[in-house]
Amino acid sequence: MAKRRFDIGDRVTVRDATSMFHTRTQVFTRGRTGVVVEMRPEWVIPEDEAWDRMETGRVEPFYVVQFDQKDLWPDYTGFDGDTLQTEVCERWLEPAGKEQ
């Protein structure tokens, strides 16, 4: 098991990158900053899972990251406290404030 880069409570930014292959990293979260709220087990990354590489795929830790919805959508008209949580594999995350 690899050492995790992030802990619960860490502020992280989702990499603003494109992918030619399947990924579960939603476009609207890319380049946005949130907070790690839960750890998930290591698993085959979605890009390899999509090609049925369950036995030979790259394995990484996953995290649940919480975002303020007003930070995801500039025109969001809901309550200030509304949040969204999504699962992100480690390769898509950087410490908040780090140059991309």
Side-chain angles (χ1 to χ4, degrees):
M1 182 169 186
K3 182 179 180 323
R4 289 181 174 269
R5 290 179 59 201
F6 305 106
D7 292 313
I8 291 176
D10 286 352
R11 290 180 44 79
V12 293
T13 300
V14 179
R15 289 182 38 230
D16 190 8
T18 57
S19 176
M20 293 176 49
F21 304 103
H22 170 75
T23 177
R24 288 193 312 227
T25 306
Q26 299 95 342
V27 173
F28 60 84
T29 65
R30 296 178 193 182
R32 305 291 193 218
T33 298
V35 177
V36 174
V37 294
E38 186 178 333
M39 308 286 205
R40 293 286 170 89
E42 290 185 342
W43 192 255
V44 175
I45 64 170
E47 293 87 342
D48 289 352
E49 185 177 10
W51 292 95
D52 198 26
R53 296 182 180 143
M54 298 304 291
E55 299 297 322
T56 60
R58 296 165 287 179
V59 175
E60 291 186 6
F62 280 73
Y63 304 85
V64 176
V65 179
Q66 180 172 295
F67 300 89
D68 290 336
Q69 289 196 35
K70 63 184 179 178
D71 292 339
L72 296 174
W73 297 286
D75 297 328
Y76 184 72
T77 59
F79 295 105
D80 285 343
D82 288 350
T83 60
L84 176 137
Q85 293 183 357
T86 188
E87 189 177 76
V88 184
C89 66
E90 192 169 83
R91 76 178 45 243
W92 278 92
L93 297 174
E94 295 290 340
K98 182 176 178 179
E99 292 297 318
Q100 302 282 317

